[in-house]
Amino acid sequence: MAEEKDIAAASKNFLRQFRDINTREFKKISASQFNDVWTHYDQDGNGYIEGTELDNFLYELVTSVNTSDVGPEVVSKAALEDAKALVMNAFDENNDGRIDIAELAQLLPMEENFLLLFRRDNPLDSSVEFMKVWRQYDKDNSGYIEADELKEFLKDLLKQCKKDIEVSEEKLIEYADTMLQLFDRNRDAKLQLSEMAKLLPVKENFLCRPVFKSGKQLNCDDINRVFKLYDRDNNNMIENEELTGFLKDLMELVQEDYDAEDMDEFKDILLKKCDLNHDGKIDKDELSMVLMSFNTRNSCHDDVPEDDQ
């Protein structure tokens, strides 16, 4: 009976099962095990381990080194708080006080090839580059990255990270399945735009720059700078992936979940209001109209007292 109680106590800590019974070091965690860890702690499924989820995860991370949750080995409260601070300082890369999927992958001792999928050494510069990748892998133009397309994307991503890498078809299928489980928030077995954006984040949303948050009126220099950021081929037009990249950045400011259909609707609305010559592109004067409207709306929102928002 006493032995059963000891086993029960040892099993309370979810992370303890991934430690070597003798060395107490973490064993290599596979892709499917990583998904188990993530879904265990991200209990509300919002794509972050935060709040009480984060407290629980960090407590179990620190105390999983012990063989049980009782006895003289238990970590003191002060030591636990110090350990939490060290972990967050080391792995909370964007300093938002929570852990996202990529940060968890860096924190745990992952299977090497799977970990490469979360490397952020060379993130995409902008949403323009993201939309080029999207177009490349959405081969059937369905507006989604489906399982086979995702598998091809992951295969190429691994090759880009490590040119001599060899990954079996079985492993690629496992990786694609795990990524779908991790990032497919609406559980439709494919990735929509906003879900793929979590898997493949960009270095910067240009529309989050301070000039748009200051509340000051945009001037010609501001407009010119933004135009150059999106006009990647310098043809004095924002078109194709440049335009969809701009739309993606705009959409991310107003809604968290969006798909290709949402973007098409948004594109139709924007072009109807601002594409004065009806060529399906945005020139500098037309961009100025969009940005002035966006800046004015933000300024008005900032002026509203907190009690009225």
Side-chain angles (χ1 to χ4, degrees):
M1 194 73 171
E3 184 178 336
E4 290 179 359
K5 287 183 178 179
D6 288 342
I7 293 171
S11 65
K12 286 181 181 178
N13 186 310
F14 187 77
L15 293 176
R16 190 169 287 135
Q17 64 186 298
F18 303 110
R19 288 192 182 271
D20 185 277
I21 195 168
N22 296 314
T23 67
R24 307 311 301 159
E25 296 287 333
F26 272 117
K27 297 175 283 188
K28 288 290 183 183
I29 292 177
S30 69
S32 59
Q33 289 172 332
F34 178 81
N35 182 60
D36 291 341
V37 172
W38 179 261
T39 54
H40 178 81
Y41 291 104
D42 180 26
Q43 295 181 345
D44 59 7
N46 74 338
Y48 298 97
I49 297 175
E50 58 185 342
T52 55
E53 298 170 342
L54 182 58
D55 289 341
N56 184 38
F57 168 72
L58 292 174
Y59 173 80
E60 294 199 354
L61 177 69
V62 173
T63 59
S64 63
V65 71
N66 301 323
T67 55
S68 71
D69 294 325
V70 294
E73 290 182 318
V74 174
V75 180
S76 70
K77 187 173 182 180
L80 182 62
E81 290 302 318
D82 288 343
K84 284 182 181 181
L86 288 172
V87 169
M88 295 303 288
N89 286 336
F91 296 100
D92 182 19
E93 295 178 357
N94 56 6
N95 298 312
D96 64 354
R98 54 189 182 176
I99 297 292
D100 63 26
I101 293 172
E103 290 167 342
L104 183 68
Q106 303 299 323
L107 197 158
L108 297 175
M110 297 298 305
E111 177 184 316
E112 181 183 1
N113 290 340
F114 188 66
L115 179 60
L116 288 174
L117 300 174
F118 295 96
R119 282 179 57 173
R120 298 291 181 258
D121 297 349
N122 298 295
L124 297 177
D125 283 338
S126 72
S127 290
V128 177
E129 280 67 40
F130 173 89
M131 293 309 303
K132 290 178 181 178
V133 173
W134 176 269
R135 185 175 179 182
Q136 178 183 350
Y137 290 97
D138 180 20
K139 295 183 185 299
D140 58 2
N141 296 312
S142 66
Y144 297 93
I145 300 295
E146 289 143 338
D148 285 346
E149 296 166 336
L150 179 60
K151 180 166 66 73
E152 286 305 306
F153 166 73
L154 297 178
K155 179 180 179 180
D156 291 346
L157 184 59
L158 285 169
K159 285 286 186 184
Q160 182 182 332
C161 293
K162 195 174 180 181
K163 290 184 179 180
D164 60 347
I165 198 169
E166 291 294 336
V167 182
S168 68
E169 183 73 7
E170 183 181 356
K171 270 295 178 186
L172 283 171
I173 292 171
E174 179 190 348
Y175 291 168
D177 181 62
T178 300
M179 287 300 195
L180 277 174
Q181 292 182 60
L182 289 169
F183 291 95
D184 177 23
R185 291 181 58 184
N186 61 4
R187 299 297 180 227
D188 60 358
K190 52 192 176 183
L191 296 182
Q192 63 183 30
L193 270 169
S194 59
E195 294 165 343
M196 186 67 174
K198 298 285 189 190
L199 169 57
L200 189 65
V202 301
K203 188 182 296 182
E204 178 184 16
N205 180 332
F206 295 140
L207 301 182
C208 288
R209 292 191 170 188
V211 65
F212 296 106
K213 298 180 179 181
S214 64
K216 75 178 183 68
Q217 189 73 17
L218 295 174
N219 57 39
C220 288
D221 288 340
D222 295 328
I223 302 296
N224 288 335
R225 277 193 292 270
V226 174
F227 190 81
K228 286 180 180 178
L229 290 171
Y230 289 100
D231 179 24
R232 310 296 271 191
D233 58 8
N234 298 310
N235 72 342
N236 293 316
M237 289 289 175
I238 295 177
E239 58 184 334
N240 301 323
E241 287 89 358
E242 299 168 343
L243 179 55
T244 52
F246 174 65
L247 292 169
K248 173 179 173 290
D249 283 348
L250 274 176
M251 291 193 70
E252 288 181 348
L253 300 178
V254 295
Q255 63 189 80
E256 186 175 358
D257 294 318
Y258 56 89
D259 58 23
E261 186 176 343
D262 294 327
M263 182 173 284
D264 286 341
E265 291 177 2
F266 190 28
K267 180 180 179 181
D268 290 342
I269 293 170
L270 184 140
L271 291 178
K272 185 175 181 180
K273 290 184 176 181
C274 302
D275 181 20
L276 301 180
N277 58 3
H278 307 293
D279 63 354
K281 309 172 186 178
I282 297 292
D283 62 25
K284 196 175 293 183
D285 289 336
E286 293 164 344
L287 179 70
S288 179
M289 291 175 57
V290 177
L291 294 179
M292 289 295 188
S293 173
F294 171 73
N295 187 239
T296 300
R297 189 195 68 177
N298 273 5
S299 178
C300 291
H301 181 76
D302 290 342
D303 289 341
V304 176
E306 288 188 9
D307 291 343
D308 295 337
Q309 289 185 20

